[in-house]
């Protein structure tokens, strides 16, 4: 039994928290059952994604069958397949165009770490170098069941969030877009531009 007087904020504070917790549950329940995934197939893992969508595995049981082609209408990004250096800037651009709150699910070994192409000259060794990944689903490719489990893990994360602490509701937090990686001779983070310039200048100076 809860003793209201035990609360650090006193009975009034606890009542407020109970009220907000109920709001959180209703709000998150609605979000979990109306997520709109954005999909773009990068390689073979996308075939398993399609299987997950189809009747046998049936993503629509979660109310998630509306796959959006536009990032502006999506709140869950599946990165399914091999991320090439040429594609990475476009993936970050799409992510930046999604509205908050948004989530990222990395599908398969390639999206997680580069997979069998990890040391390839044109492959990114993990999309989490550029995007905040919420759930990783390993496998080459992961089965549709594993993908569904990953989706349920995203749901778990959403259910654990609160309107009190969610960054997208904080007045002082303007959700800054992520820096776009730039494809030069190689991919680099524009935040590192000054350091790279210095490095290049030093190399030129010393031959
Ligand atoms: S993890 Fe395996 S199945 Fe998935 S995109 Fe890479 S090579 Fe293809």
């Amino acid at each position: 039994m809860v003793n209201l007087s035990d609360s650090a904020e006193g009975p009034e504070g606890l009542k407020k928290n109970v009220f907000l917790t109920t709001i959180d549950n209703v709000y998150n329940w609605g979000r979990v059952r109306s997520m709109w995934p954005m999909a773009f197939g990068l390689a073979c893992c996308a075939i398993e994604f399609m299987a997950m969508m189809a009747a046998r595995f049936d993503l629509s049981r979660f109310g998630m069958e509306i796959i959006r082609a536009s990032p502006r209408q999506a709140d869950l990004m599946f990165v399914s397949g091999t991320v090439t250096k040429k594609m990475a800037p476009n993936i970050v651009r799409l992510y930046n165009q999604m509205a908050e709150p948004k989530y990222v699910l990395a599908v398969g070994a390639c999206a997680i770490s580069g997979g069998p192409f990890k040391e390839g000259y044109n492959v990114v060794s993990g999309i989490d170098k550029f995007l905040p990944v919420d759930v990783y689903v390993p496998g080459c490719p992961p089965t549709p069941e594993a993908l569904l489990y990953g989706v349920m893990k995203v749901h778990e994360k959403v259910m654990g969030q609160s309107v009190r602490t969610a960054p997208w509701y904080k007045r002082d937090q303007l959700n800054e877009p992520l820096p776009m990686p730039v494809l030069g001779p190689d991919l680099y983070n524009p935040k590192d531009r000054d350091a790279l310039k210095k490095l290049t200048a030093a190399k030129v100076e010393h031959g």
Side-chain angles (χ1 to χ4, degrees):
M1 189 166 162
V2 179
N3 182 355
L4 290 181
S5 58
D6 285 349
S7 163
E9 295 179 63
E12 283 312 308
L14 190 56
K15 272 186 209 159
K16 194 171 134 203
N17 281 344
V18 169
F19 176 67
L20 279 173
T21 306
T22 310
I23 292 208
D24 282 342
N25 281 338
V26 174
Y27 169 74
N28 289 336
W29 178 85
R31 289 202 299 138
V32 157
R33 276 150 189 83
S34 59
M35 290 195 110
W36 285 7
M38 187 182 67
F40 45 90
L42 295 171
C44 8
C45 275
I47 303 295
E48 302 305 315
F49 176 84
M50 290 177 225
M52 177 185 66
M53 294 296 305
R56 185 182 174 103
F57 297 100
D58 193 17
L59 190 65
S60 61
R61 73 180 95 164
F62 299 113
M64 293 175 65
E65 68 271 34
I66 306 178
I67 301 292
R68 308 312 302 183
S70 164
R72 299 190 193 279
Q73 298 170 342
D75 49 9
L76 173 60
M77 177 187 262
F78 285 84
V79 183
S80 42
T82 321
V83 182
T84 59
K85 288 179 181 170
K86 203 166 183 182
M87 193 64 187
N90 296 318
I91 296 176
V92 176
R93 182 178 287 123
L94 289 170
Y95 177 83
N96 283 340
Q97 289 175 1
M98 290 165 69
E100 292 279 6
K102 53 192 171 184
Y103 305 88
V104 177
L105 203 150
V107 179
C110 282
I112 293 172
S113 66
F117 314 108
K118 190 173 173 64
E119 303 299 331
Y121 70 94
N122 62 340
V123 171
V124 172
S125 56
I127 190 61
D128 61 359
K129 297 209 163 28
F130 299 101
L131 295 184
V133 173
D134 295 286
V135 173
Y136 299 81
V137 182
C140 180
T143 58
E145 291 95 330
L147 287 179
L148 284 176
Y149 185 66
V151 166
M152 286 191 270
K153 284 285 161 193
V154 174
H155 289 174
E156 254 179 58
K157 180 166 186 174
V158 173
M159 286 307 291
Q161 291 181 318
S162 168
V163 287
R164 282 166 291 179
T165 52
W168 53 89
Y169 290 128
K170 289 199 174 143
R171 222 178 281 166
D172 51 347
Q173 291 218 13
L174 300 169
N175 296 303
E176 287 287 328
L178 293 178
M180 295 270 300
V182 177
L183 184 59
D186 206 342
L187 259 189
Y188 68 93
N189 189 326
K191 277 187 181 163
D192 302 333
R193 186 175 283 142
D194 290 341
L196 284 169
K197 262 187 188 170
K198 273 186 204 155
L199 195 69
T200 312
K203 272 190 181 167
V204 170
E205 202 173 306
H206 301 294

